[in-house]
Amino acid sequence: MAQQPLIHYRVRWRPAGYQPGAGHGRVPGAGDQLRSVVPLRDHPDPRRLDLRTSLRDPFENIWVRDFYLNSALKVIVLVDTSASMGYVGRVHRFKVAQEITAQLALSAYRTGDAFGVFAAGEVINKKRMLPPKANRSAWLWVKQHFSKIKPEGQHAEGLFAAVPYLPQNPCLVFIISDFRWPEGRLKLLLKKLSHHDVVPVMLQDPTEVDALPRRGIASLTDAETGEKQFVWIRKSLRQKVEESRIKHIKSVNEACRILGLRPFVVKGEFDTALMTEYFLGGGNT
Amino acid sequence: MGSLHLFKPELLWLLPLCLLPLLSYGVKQFSYPGLEDWPKDKISDMLRWGVRVLAVLTLMSLVIAASGPFTEGGTVTKIGKGAEIVIVLDRSGSMDENLVKQDPTIRVKGVTRIEASRKVLLKLMDQRPGDTFGLVVFNASPIAVAPLSSDRDIARAALKSAESNSSGFTALNRALEMGLDYFKDRSYTATRLILLVSDGDTKIKPEDQAILKDMFKEYRAELMWIYVHTGYDFSLEFEEDISKDDGAVDPNVALNQLFHSLGMPYQAFEVNSEAGLQRAVAEIGRATNKPTRYEYRLPRQDYALYFYMLAMVLLGVLFWLKQIEIKAWRP
């Protein structure tokens, strides 16, 4: 894993839970955001004495400040391991997925958040799942286990089976896939995850979009179904392919938009700075 | 035109191999994450089948070409004006002597008799395209060098290769018999002519004379003698040999008289000049006004070349297709 800047993800809600972390939490505790001012007898911590409020009180009560706990977030990554994820174009698609997962794991640990991974192809891969915990070595775990995963299977329905494994309270969920799914499946999955904060990470390769060969003949093998097609690439066919790519991206965007989300597109190599930018620019909403 | 034959029909067992291109796509394969991006393209499908059919046709034409298809040429009966001429050419040692009269004290090599004869005969052949020629050469014994056929090249080549070679004896009678033997088992379709080219100097025994007489009669052949004549030899016109006191005649004059006595049409030409040749040719032309009917065997027609050419063209197209094949998935 190349050394990259950490990903500074952000959520627009306050995570529940008593695990101290970096985000603004919802429960009282040690934090940096003022929650309220309470009488000393309710919160007997004289270190938090609020002089100004105490002096202004005509009844001469002693007031102390109460803060929100800076609580930890749970970051969960769902990885599609269907056969199309094994596509090697300019980049190895699954290697990119591994890179994103590992970077997120490292960033989550450095931010003090819990991190969990679920990988699923046709069925959920129970050997390669990591329940959300604060885990220092999660990125190493990702490196070790993902290199053993061989992308196979004709669809990614196993991701639906991963939904019940997720915590009940809201988490930040990344779905890493190329979203070459049947129409409506993405929308359904997003609906099932609707109480979480979901970031669809869409993997693309330049060779399948705008770096098609200009002309010539070739035989294409579908990575998932193994179907073969003889193609004579020329201008008209290339345009049709580009159109259908645009249509696919549009349909992914549409499915996300209905749920109030915005997909993060990774074209080729993954750059953590771009993901930070994505969160700074409004995040997934 | 005959029916189609194959030179090596067992090679046709390779024909099932021609179906091999149907098993594979034959072009480089690339993995693609989802074919739903690629709409069904009719032109691509047609090209795909085109490539396969091209490959099948290429292999087929190669296999068929290798098995060597041909049709028998058959024979045609041609009718031509002319004669069946058997040239009986003397190549005895005396034919190596110079033709032109010269001073015996100056030994300058001139044109020999056999060379002159060859020239005359080749000219004759060129002037008589409709005739059928055969060739017998002889010195001590006759050799049948070219059969009686309309294939001129054999006769011409045989004639060119005839060199004189002295062996001390000239078997004229046996050469004539061999020449007459050429007519055996042939239907009488044209004037038959034995064209004796010799300088004589030999004798035919009485018993051979009878045999020759019978044969000439049986085959209805004519005889013409081109007497290659040196200036200082005796002309055939001389009745008597004045150099000899005993009244005996010159052997050539005797031979001329003998041929006259054999009963067949006979003419003698003394060739020591251009005029003699002209006369001889004109006479042969007059003698051969009867149309000749002869069988001509056509060469068999070989079709392998066409199949190889077809395979070449198809391979060219396949080569072009290979050129436009995508080798690496990049723009």
Side-chain angles (χ1 to χ4, degrees):
Chain A
M1 191 171 80
Q3 187 71 44
Q4 289 209 54
L6 293 180
I7 301 163
H8 299 288
Y9 49 80
R10 220 167 54 158
V11 290
R12 300 209 153 196
W13 38 270
R14 294 165 180 276
Y18 292 91
Q19 183 75 32
H24 296 152
R26 251 196 305 196
V27 293
D32 53 11
Q33 213 176 27
L34 187 64
R35 181 167 170 263
S36 63
V37 183
V38 293
L40 180 64
R41 66 161 187 277
D42 290 350
H43 190 70
D45 187 0
R47 289 175 302 174
R48 307 276 179 252
L49 179 69
D50 190 348
L51 275 176
R52 184 175 163 275
T53 317
S54 303
L55 287 174
R56 280 179 65 212
D57 185 10
F59 302 103
E60 296 184 341
N61 287 327
I62 307 286
W63 295 85
V64 290
R65 290 190 184 116
D66 188 14
F67 292 92
Y68 283 118
L69 178 70
N70 273 2
S71 50
L73 191 63
K74 280 178 181 162
V75 177
I76 292 166
V77 178
L78 302 181
V79 185
D80 176 1
T81 62
S82 64
S84 69
M85 289 296 286
Y87 174 65
V88 185
R90 192 164 295 169
V91 292
H92 193 303
R93 183 166 285 173
F94 199 68
K95 287 269 158 60
V96 174
Q98 178 191 330
E99 167 83 5
I100 297 170
T101 315
Q103 291 286 3
L104 281 172
L106 190 64
S107 298
Y109 170 69
R110 291 278 163 82
T111 321
D113 292 336
F115 180 80
V117 175
F118 298 92
E122 286 182 14
V123 290
I124 184 165
N125 191 342
K126 288 193 178 168
K127 280 184 191 163
R128 313 277 180 226
M129 63 187 206
L130 192 66
K133 298 244 169 60
N135 189 344
R136 188 197 299 188
S137 63
W139 68 276
L140 283 173
W141 183 94
V142 169
K143 239 172 98 175
Q144 238 180 33
H145 285 74
F146 272 42
S147 55
K148 284 176 195 154
I149 294 176
K150 191 175 169 291
E152 56 193 358
Q154 298 194 7
H155 52 82
E157 295 294 301
L159 285 178
F160 287 90
V163 174
Y165 286 90
L166 264 52
Q168 280 183 327
N169 41 10
C171 319
L172 179 58
V173 178
F174 292 84
I175 307 173
I176 302 176
S177 173
D178 52 5
F179 297 118
R180 284 179 178 276
W181 297 351
E183 192 69 38
R185 298 311 285 170
L186 174 62
K187 201 169 141 192
L188 190 65
L189 182 66
L190 292 180
K191 261 187 188 165
K192 295 212 171 204
L193 295 169
S194 58
H195 66 293
H196 297 292
D197 203 348
V198 182
V199 180
V201 180
M202 186 176 184
L203 301 188
Q204 282 188 346
D205 201 291
T207 58
E208 61 169 330
V209 197
D210 41 28
L212 295 175
R214 294 189 61 76
R215 62 182 70 82
I217 52 175
S219 156
L220 299 180
T221 313
D222 192 310
E224 291 194 343
T225 59
E227 231 175 87
K228 282 176 185 171
Q229 191 175 348
F230 185 95
V231 290
W232 178 20
I233 300 174
R234 53 201 193 282
K235 203 176 173 195
S236 61
L237 186 63
R238 215 168 57 231
Q239 273 174 353
K240 279 184 199 165
V241 174
E242 279 161 12
E243 273 165 24
S244 64
R245 280 312 301 157
I246 289 168
K247 211 176 122 198
H248 175 233
I249 294 170
K250 256 190 189 163
S251 77
V252 171
N253 277 335
E254 184 67 14
C256 295
R257 198 183 55 78
I258 289 171
L259 276 295
L261 305 172
R262 187 162 67 97
F264 176 69
V265 179
V266 178
K267 230 179 209 183
E269 289 289 354
F270 171 63
D271 185 3
T272 56
L274 287 178
M275 192 172 249
T276 303
E277 219 168 82
Y278 165 86
F279 280 105
L280 288 176
N284 52 350
T285 48
Chain B
M1 292 302 274
S3 55
L4 195 71
H5 299 272
L6 291 171
F7 184 59
K8 281 184 182 166
E10 65 272 15
L11 282 178
L12 290 186
W13 286 108
L14 294 177
L15 272 179
L17 288 180
C18 299
L19 297 176
L20 276 180
L22 296 181
L23 295 182
S24 110
Y25 277 73
V27 293
K28 199 167 162 63
Q29 302 211 4
F30 292 96
S31 172
Y32 195 80
L35 277 186
E36 65 272 7
D37 284 356
W38 296 83
K40 289 281 169 240
D41 185 33
K42 264 193 186 149
I43 298 175
S44 292
D45 282 349
M46 272 158 59
L47 187 69
R48 177 194 164 197
W49 282 102
V51 170
R52 292 170 149 199
V53 169
L54 267 180
V56 169
L57 284 180
T58 308
L59 285 178
M60 263 169 73
S61 55
L62 277 176
V63 169
I64 292 173
S67 65
F70 65 89
T71 51
E72 287 289 358
T75 54
V76 288
T77 305
K78 283 191 176 176
I79 296 169
K81 276 189 167 181
E84 292 178 338
I85 301 173
V86 176
I87 299 165
V88 180
L89 178 64
D90 187 354
R91 58 181 196 100
S92 63
S94 58
M95 289 292 280
D96 206 18
E97 286 168 21
N98 281 350
L99 178 66
V100 190
K101 184 181 183 176
Q102 62 181 16
D103 189 350
T105 55
I106 310 165
R107 304 299 295 175
V108 179
K109 195 78 179 167
V111 181
T112 61
R113 292 177 188 179
I114 197 155
E115 270 175 42
S117 313
R118 272 208 300 265
K119 221 171 113 187
V120 166
L121 290 171
L122 284 171
K123 258 188 188 170
L124 176 70
M125 274 192 184
D126 290 339
Q127 285 173 9
R128 309 281 313 156
D131 289 354
T132 312
F133 284 93
L135 183 65
V136 174
V137 297
F138 69 99
N139 51 7
S141 63
I143 307 167
V145 281
L148 196 56
S149 77
S150 53
D151 189 345
R152 284 300 177 83
D153 291 337
I154 296 179
R156 198 168 281 145
L159 200 55
K160 278 178 184 161
S161 63
E163 283 293 339
S164 83
N165 184 12
S166 178
S167 52
F169 173 67
T170 312
L172 177 59
N173 60 320
R174 279 165 58 204
L176 286 175
E177 281 165 25
M178 182 177 271
L180 283 167
D181 207 43
Y182 277 7
F183 298 122
K184 200 180 173 185
D185 296 335
R186 284 175 75 97
S187 51
Y188 185 79
T189 56
T191 312
R192 292 173 167 182
L193 180 64
I194 298 283
L195 189 62
L196 174 64
V197 181
S198 173
D199 56 355
D201 279 341
T202 187
K203 280 179 179 167
I204 296 177
K205 287 179 203 159
E207 59 264 35
D208 294 327
Q209 288 171 14
I211 293 170
L212 276 178
K213 190 173 180 176
D214 287 347
M215 284 182 86
F216 271 112
K217 203 174 175 188
E218 188 190 339
Y219 296 128
R220 288 180 279 171
E222 293 175 24
L223 179 66
M224 285 192 190
W225 180 18
I226 297 181
Y227 175 41
V228 187
H229 175 42
T230 325
Y232 50 82
D233 270 338
F234 290 103
S235 168
L236 297 176
E237 255 88 278
F238 285 113
E239 286 294 319
E240 290 182 24
D241 188 346
I242 51 166
S243 66
K244 289 181 180 152
D245 302 328
D246 53 0
V249 291
D250 180 82
N252 292 340
V253 178
L255 202 58
N256 188 26
Q257 285 169 355
L258 166 69
F259 288 150
H260 271 299
S261 68
L262 281 178
M264 71 286 180
Y266 168 67
Q267 267 180 302
F269 305 99
E270 295 178 38
V271 176
N272 59 348
S273 60
E274 198 67 29
L277 167 70
Q278 297 291 344
R279 206 153 60 81
V281 169
E283 183 54 42
I284 293 165
R286 196 190 54 75
T288 57
N289 48 8
K290 220 175 153 187
T292 313
R293 207 173 269 106
Y294 56 98
E295 294 272 292
Y296 185 71
R297 198 177 158 83
L298 292 170
R300 70 186 192 189
Q301 192 84 26
D302 195 3
Y303 294 108
L305 181 69
Y306 301 113
F307 281 100
Y308 277 125
M309 266 157 52
L310 177 67
M312 276 293 284
V313 171
L314 294 174
L315 277 174
V317 177
L318 283 178
F319 183 75
W320 176 74
L321 283 169
K322 198 72 188 164
Q323 287 305 105
I324 67 164
E325 182 195 31
I326 294 168
K327 272 101 189 166
W329 193 263
R330 58 162 181 265

